[in-house]
Amino acid sequence: MAQTVKKDGTVGKALEILDLVATFNRPVRFSELLSISEQPKATLYRFLQTLTNQGMLSYDEDRQVYSMGLRLVRLAHSAWQSASLAPLASEMLDILEEEVGETIHLAQMENGQVLFVDKRRSSVLFETLAQAGRIAPAHCTGVGKAILAFMAPERLERALKQQAFVPYTASTHKDRESLIAEFDTIRAEGVAFDREEHERGIISIAAPILLNNGKVVGSVSIATTTSRHSLKDLETFKPQLLQATKAIGDAATTWQFPSPK
Amino acid sequence: MAQTVKKDGTVGKALEILDLVATFNRPVRFSELLSISEQPKATLYRFLQTLTNQGMLSYDEDRQVYSMGLRLVRLAHSAWQSASLAPLASEMLDILEEEVGETIHLAQMENGQVLFVDKRRSSVLFETLAQAGRIAPAHCTGVGKAILAFMAPERLERALKQQAFVPYTASTHKDRESLIAEFDTIRAEGVAFDREEHERGIISIAAPILLNNGKVVGSVSIATTTSRHSLKDLETFKPQLLQATKAIGDAATTWQFPSPK
DNA sequence: GTAGATGTTCCAAATAATGGAACTTAGTTT
DNA sequence: AAACTAAGTTCCATTATTTGGAACATCTAC
């Protein structure tokens, strides 16, 4: 279990249920939730009512199904704007995209997983919230490994405990040791490679975003397909990538929120 | 006060605090929150701790400020995908954009406010404030009025109670009566106009998205600036707009979530 | 009509939230 | 450098809320 022990009382339980509904990625019946949830019937029922009342979930009376609520979209907009690296990094990502002409991802760590907070892609027009918010495992992605390799010991320890080490492809790290073994190389080179570890045919080069005090706050990757490019090709983008992550790191360090006055 | 009476115990209070932090749109200190919150010091403190623990908020130890948490971005991604009209409407919005070549917004109602869930824009120059997740008042926007005018009586009543009737411009409806008076026209014409009611120089034409059973579930608008177009110009887009909203309404009506099995 | 499953409500017991006040730390003034 | 002030944190007996087993209601299928 990648789940950590929760000690946050009623609120924690309610949010756990929110996560539960989210994992379905489709409207879901009460009984379906009941069968997976730890909570007894009446308790689960009450939580669903409360969350629906609050707009965190929505309930379709005709179909008798729960979905995620729009209040989340509103709240996330605020989160994305004021708490993610996206607004800060936007310019640098634009520049990087222009330089390399490949798909760019901006990621941060959330509960041991990689959370994509922004993206640039050379071809198709896309809407931010549609793609932002997607998650991926940390142990088998360039963005994930780039962050993990630069984490402080106890933060890393916590993150590693949350990895499930699902072996997506033949080259996926299948245990903790194998993953850790790569960190020295990543730290030495300053970049991490995804060698089709998450998806066959998809490779990437990723670099961490570091604050001036050394803390990792996120990472940027340049991703492509094996049919278009080799790892060697990606390596030629390294200078531009590092320049971008450096610039974002500097911006994140000096960034001050607007004075309260 | 546009605030409704909350009866959702601890969870409701916690979410209220989340909203409170969101309104700041910037990292915020404990004392700032305390000064506006209803909650006593210790209670507020504990809630902030819990929410931070849960990833719904994030806390910057150095600056001692709270921001919205990335868990919201993850959850909202799920909400946007499975509970908003956006995925369903995407194709139709693409077509509409191509036909009219102006900025398109897709909106839904959330807690009496208009919530933008998707957007298409033809020119980068004309940057409206609206992006996915962004909110706006209902009483002074095309999308808002288009939805309100087609709401069932008690839903409308609840929504009207939540309007603050802030007079943004000279043409903003400044009270309930003035707003309601326009509804007959909107219902008769099938579209609502924003006559610079929210922002000077910005006008729009909007149409409701109706399910086959008559329920309004959202609206679509075509927005432009007065320097580029007049209201008459916008009116020429009416057929295309109505065709798009009809198609989205049909899709929303027949849409079935993937079978649980 | 009946069986079975799903969804909703009740209420006394168990538990968690509450908040006034005391305490600690950080920042400022005399 | 002591005294003051404001901000943030912890404590704990009291209070209020959550809890969940079980009964009840509703729907579905045969």
Side-chain angles (χ1 to χ4, degrees):
Chain A
M1 276 272 113
Q3 279 290 55
T4 44
V5 190
K6 303 282 167 65
K7 266 290 201 176
D8 289 318
T10 314
V11 176
K13 284 178 214 164
L15 296 177
E16 213 171 294
I17 287 167
L18 218 51
D19 268 345
L20 198 64
V21 177
T23 55
F24 280 86
N25 264 313
R26 60 169 172 83
V28 62
R29 293 189 80 87
F30 175 70
S31 58
E32 297 183 86
L33 291 168
L34 183 61
S35 67
I36 330 180
S37 170
E38 315 265 79
Q39 308 296 336
K41 217 177 181 185
T43 304
L44 177 64
Y45 184 75
R46 232 175 314 103
F47 272 126
L48 289 173
Q49 293 238 110
T50 304
L51 290 169
T52 303
N53 243 324
Q54 290 289 325
M56 302 297 278
L57 293 177
S58 71
Y59 181 65
D60 181 332
E61 298 204 331
D62 299 331
R63 303 195 214 278
Q64 296 199 111
V65 285
Y66 296 90
S67 323
M68 303 303 283
L70 289 181
R71 185 174 180 182
L72 284 164
V73 177
R74 191 187 78 213
L75 290 171
H77 175 67
S78 179
W80 191 83
Q81 280 215 144
S82 72
S84 83
L85 290 170
L88 213 88
S90 188
E91 268 182 69
M92 288 75 144
L93 297 184
D94 287 338
I95 295 169
L96 185 59
E97 182 200 12
E98 194 149 313
E99 289 175 343
V100 306
E102 293 294 335
T103 303
I104 314 265
H105 289 293
L106 174 65
Q108 295 183 245
M109 214 64 167
E110 205 274 312
N111 202 33
Q113 290 180 299
V114 162
L115 178 83
F116 295 101
V117 294
D118 209 348
K119 170 177 183 174
R120 292 289 180 283
R121 125 174 92 169
S122 37
S123 51
V124 194
L125 171 88
F126 93 109
E127 185 56 39
T128 315
L129 250 183
Q131 301 290 328
R134 269 214 357 250
I135 49 171
H139 73 288
C140 61
T141 52
V143 277
K145 294 191 294 179
I147 296 176
L148 290 174
F150 287 86
M151 271 187 171
E154 5 64 71
R155 254 185 90 198
L156 175 62
E157 183 54 37
R158 226 176 319 132
L160 284 174
K161 282 206 181 105
Q162 294 173 313
Q163 301 308 311
F165 290 102
V166 178
Y168 290 93
T169 74
S171 30
T172 309
H173 287 291
K174 56 200 180 314
D175 55 42
R176 190 193 174 101
E177 288 65 39
S178 160
L179 176 61
I180 292 177
E182 197 188 342
F183 290 168
D184 280 337
T185 321
I186 296 174
R187 275 191 294 265
E189 297 187 358
V191 292
F193 289 95
D194 173 351
R195 304 175 169 85
E196 306 184 61
E197 293 162 40
H198 186 31
E199 219 177 312
R200 284 232 54 189
I202 306 286
I203 53 173
S204 74
I205 179 173
I209 297 168
L210 302 167
L211 299 184
N212 290 0
N213 63 19
K215 276 191 196 162
V216 225
V217 292
S219 63
V220 174
S221 76
I222 305 170
T224 188
T225 59
T226 46
S227 57
R228 299 180 53 185
H229 289 289
S230 67
L231 284 166
K232 280 256 179 271
D233 293 338
L234 281 184
E235 195 154 16
T236 62
F237 295 141
K238 188 172 158 180
Q240 293 95 315
L241 177 60
L242 290 179
Q243 194 182 335
T245 51
K246 177 73 170 60
I248 298 169
D250 287 346
T253 304
T254 58
W255 184 71
Q256 297 281 358
F257 56 90
S259 137
K261 180 115 66 51
Chain B
M1 276 271 116
Q3 279 288 55
T4 43
V5 189
K6 303 280 168 66
K7 265 289 200 177
D8 289 318
T10 313
V11 176
K13 283 180 216 164
L15 296 177
E16 214 171 291
I17 286 168
L18 218 49
D19 268 344
L20 197 65
V21 177
T23 55
F24 279 86
N25 265 314
R26 59 169 172 82
V28 61
R29 293 188 79 88
F30 174 71
S31 57
E32 296 182 86
L33 291 168
L34 183 61
S35 66
I36 330 178
S37 170
E38 314 266 78
Q39 308 297 337
K41 216 178 182 183
T43 304
L44 178 64
Y45 183 75
R46 232 175 316 104
F47 273 126
L48 291 173
Q49 292 238 109
T50 304
L51 290 169
T52 303
N53 244 323
Q54 289 290 326
M56 302 298 277
L57 293 177
S58 71
Y59 181 65
D60 181 333
E61 298 204 330
D62 299 331
R63 303 197 214 278
Q64 295 198 113
V65 285
Y66 295 90
S67 324
M68 304 302 284
L70 288 182
R71 185 176 181 179
L72 284 164
V73 177
R74 193 188 76 212
L75 291 171
H77 175 66
S78 179
W80 190 88
Q81 280 215 143
S82 71
S84 83
L85 290 170
L88 213 85
S90 187
E91 268 181 67
M92 290 74 146
L93 297 183
D94 287 338
I95 295 169
L96 186 59
E97 183 201 12
E98 195 150 311
E99 288 176 344
V100 307
E102 292 294 334
T103 302
I104 316 268
H105 287 133
L106 174 65
Q108 294 182 247
M109 213 66 167
E110 207 274 311
N111 202 33
Q113 291 180 299
V114 162
L115 177 83
F116 295 101
V117 294
D118 209 347
K119 163 177 187 177
R120 295 286 182 282
R121 80 187 125 154
S122 45
S123 108
V124 196
L125 293 172
F126 170 44
E127 176 64 47
T128 24
L129 298 168
Q131 294 164 285
R134 187 109 205 176
I135 48 171
H139 74 288
C140 62
T141 51
V143 278
K145 293 191 294 179
I147 296 176
L148 290 175
F150 286 85
M151 269 187 174
E154 4 65 72
R155 253 185 92 198
L156 175 62
E157 183 55 36
R158 225 175 322 131
L160 285 173
K161 281 205 181 105
Q162 294 174 312
Q163 301 310 311
F165 290 103
V166 179
Y168 291 93
T169 72
S171 30
T172 309
H173 287 292
K174 58 200 179 312
D175 55 43
R176 189 192 174 102
E177 289 66 38
S178 159
L179 176 61
I180 291 176
E182 198 189 341
F183 289 168
D184 280 336
T185 321
I186 295 173
R187 275 191 294 264
E189 297 188 358
V191 292
F193 288 95
D194 173 351
R195 304 175 170 82
E196 303 186 61
E197 294 161 41
H198 185 33
E199 218 177 314
R200 285 233 51 188
I202 306 286
I203 53 174
S204 75
I205 178 172
I209 296 169
L210 302 168
L211 297 184
N212 291 0
N213 64 18
K215 274 190 196 162
V216 225
V217 292
S219 62
V220 175
S221 76
I222 304 169
T224 187
T225 59
T226 46
S227 57
R228 299 179 54 184
H229 290 288
S230 67
L231 283 166
K232 280 256 181 268
D233 294 338
L234 280 185
E235 195 154 16
T236 63
F237 296 142
K238 187 172 158 182
Q240 293 96 314
L241 177 60
L242 290 179
Q243 193 182 334
T245 52
K246 177 74 170 58
I248 297 168
D250 288 344
T253 304
T254 58
W255 183 72
Q256 297 281 359
F257 55 91
S259 138
K261 180 113 68 52

